[in-house]
Amino acid sequence: MAITNVQTLPKEADHGGIGHNKPPVEIEAKAAFDELVDADPKLRTRINQFIVPVKSDDGQEIPFINRVKVTSEESLGMAASTVKQIRTCMTMINAAHKEAKQPYLDGGRIVDAEKNALFAPLSDLKAAIEGKQSAYVRDRENARRKREAEEQAKAAKIERERQEAAAKAEADRLAAIEAGKPAPEPEPEPEPTPAYVAPVEKKKEPVRGYDGTVASTTMVKVPTVTDYAAAFAMVQSNAKVKEAIDKAVASLVKAGITEIPGVTITEEAKVVNR
């Protein structure tokens, strides 16, 4: 049954809504985060000593990393202590971030659930209708192709029968001559059957809905991989394919597999600060 009428949704009055007198969310969220970070009065100072450059006697700014020298076992241990301090700051920042963000996450989940309750059935219905549209135009195109194939086969059959009849008549004539009999008068050879040429279909005009919505048809190419090895040979230079291979190989190595064709595995020293 076709849809005959859809009511236009009324435009709601412009009200401030719940919490319209609250500060903007970006200000409120930042204030909540800052409050949690500043709950430890020393945290900002410790963070700043790592991220704020210090000035040298000649006024040049020196980033903290420039003051870290790892040239001996002793300085290696000192760097480990520094990393531990930085990690402590990061842990506290993450804790503040999680706590400040949680109310917004909870609210977001509630809004997502409400949105999905309304959106999902509409999305499913839209997909179902579009599926019926696609099935119709697909069947229409398949029927057209079938008609063309049948007409081509019919024309080919007629031409084949014509050629077979001409060949038989010629064979009968030659046989009569060989037997010393009067050769039969050759029948006028029918004109060759012209090859079937599919009619040029008139371009289908877009179909308009009752409210002016346009439904048009287009042909799209849909790939189906039938030989992954051959397909891979075609796309192996693609950057995303290489990235996927690197990740897959790394996961195999992490799992303990060390014999992988085409892969060289080496050992590198890595520092672990505990």
Side-chain angles (χ1 to χ4, degrees):
M1 180 177 66
I3 299 174
T4 57
N5 184 41
V6 176
Q7 290 184 341
T8 302
L9 296 177
K11 185 176 180 181
E12 295 183 359
D14 186 14
H15 297 301
I18 298 175
H20 67 279
N21 58 344
K22 295 175 64 177
V25 66
E26 61 271 19
I27 295 177
E28 184 181 48
K30 183 179 183 308
F33 177 75
D34 287 342
E35 182 179 353
L36 290 166
V37 170
D38 293 334
D40 183 336
K42 296 181 180 180
L43 180 56
R44 290 275 187 188
T45 302
R46 280 182 285 182
I47 294 172
N48 288 337
Q49 74 175 347
F50 295 123
I51 65 175
V52 178
V54 297
K55 287 192 175 182
S56 62
D57 295 338
D58 58 0
Q60 292 185 349
E61 292 188 342
I62 305 175
F64 185 86
I65 188 61
N66 290 6
R67 291 180 280 145
V68 177
K69 308 295 182 183
V70 182
T71 57
S72 64
E73 297 298 306
E74 180 183 2
S75 56
L76 178 65
M78 293 176 63
S81 299
T82 302
V83 169
K84 182 178 180 180
Q85 294 177 47
I86 294 172
R87 193 164 56 221
T88 299
C89 291
M90 293 170 65
T91 299
M92 297 176 71
I93 292 170
N94 273 335
H97 168 261
K98 182 178 180 181
E99 186 174 346
K101 190 176 180 180
Q102 195 61 49
Y104 301 97
L105 288 176
D106 294 339
R109 291 190 187 99
I110 294 172
V111 174
D112 286 346
E114 294 299 317
K115 170 250 183 180
N116 290 334
L118 299 174
F119 190 92
L122 293 176
S123 178
D124 292 343
L125 178 59
K126 172 178 170 290
I129 294 173
E130 289 173 339
K132 290 188 175 185
Q133 288 178 304
S134 296
Y136 166 74
V137 297
R138 186 167 55 246
D139 291 345
R140 185 184 67 190
E141 181 64 16
N142 288 341
R144 182 188 66 80
R145 290 174 176 173
K146 182 180 178 181
R147 287 195 304 271
E148 288 185 2
E150 290 173 346
E151 290 296 331
Q152 288 174 346
K154 181 179 178 182
K157 180 182 178 182
I158 294 173
E159 176 60 17
R160 184 171 61 253
E161 291 174 346
R162 183 195 69 79
Q163 292 179 1
E164 290 173 352
K168 183 178 183 302
E170 179 63 11
D172 292 344
R173 188 181 70 83
L174 293 175
I177 293 174
E178 185 176 350
K181 299 178 181 179
E185 290 293 328
E187 295 183 6
E189 186 174 336
E191 290 294 325
T193 304
Y196 174 76
V197 178
V200 178
E201 287 203 355
K202 181 181 178 182
K203 184 178 179 181
K204 293 187 180 298
E205 296 296 329
V207 179
R208 296 187 178 276
Y210 63 89
D211 60 351
T213 305
V214 176
S216 58
T217 304
T218 185
M219 302 301 292
V220 296
K221 297 186 182 298
V222 181
T224 300
V225 178
T226 57
D227 186 334
Y228 279 88
F232 172 74
M234 189 68 182
V235 301
Q236 60 184 333
S237 61
N238 183 280
K240 290 189 178 296
V241 172
K242 290 182 177 180
E243 181 182 350
I245 294 173
D246 289 340
K247 288 182 178 179
V249 169
S251 66
L252 292 176
V253 174
K254 187 176 181 180
I257 300 174
T258 57
E259 296 294 331
I260 305 174
V263 177
T264 300
I265 300 174
T266 58
E267 290 188 341
E268 295 181 357
K270 180 181 179 181
V271 175
V272 178
N273 296 296
R274 296 187 180 87

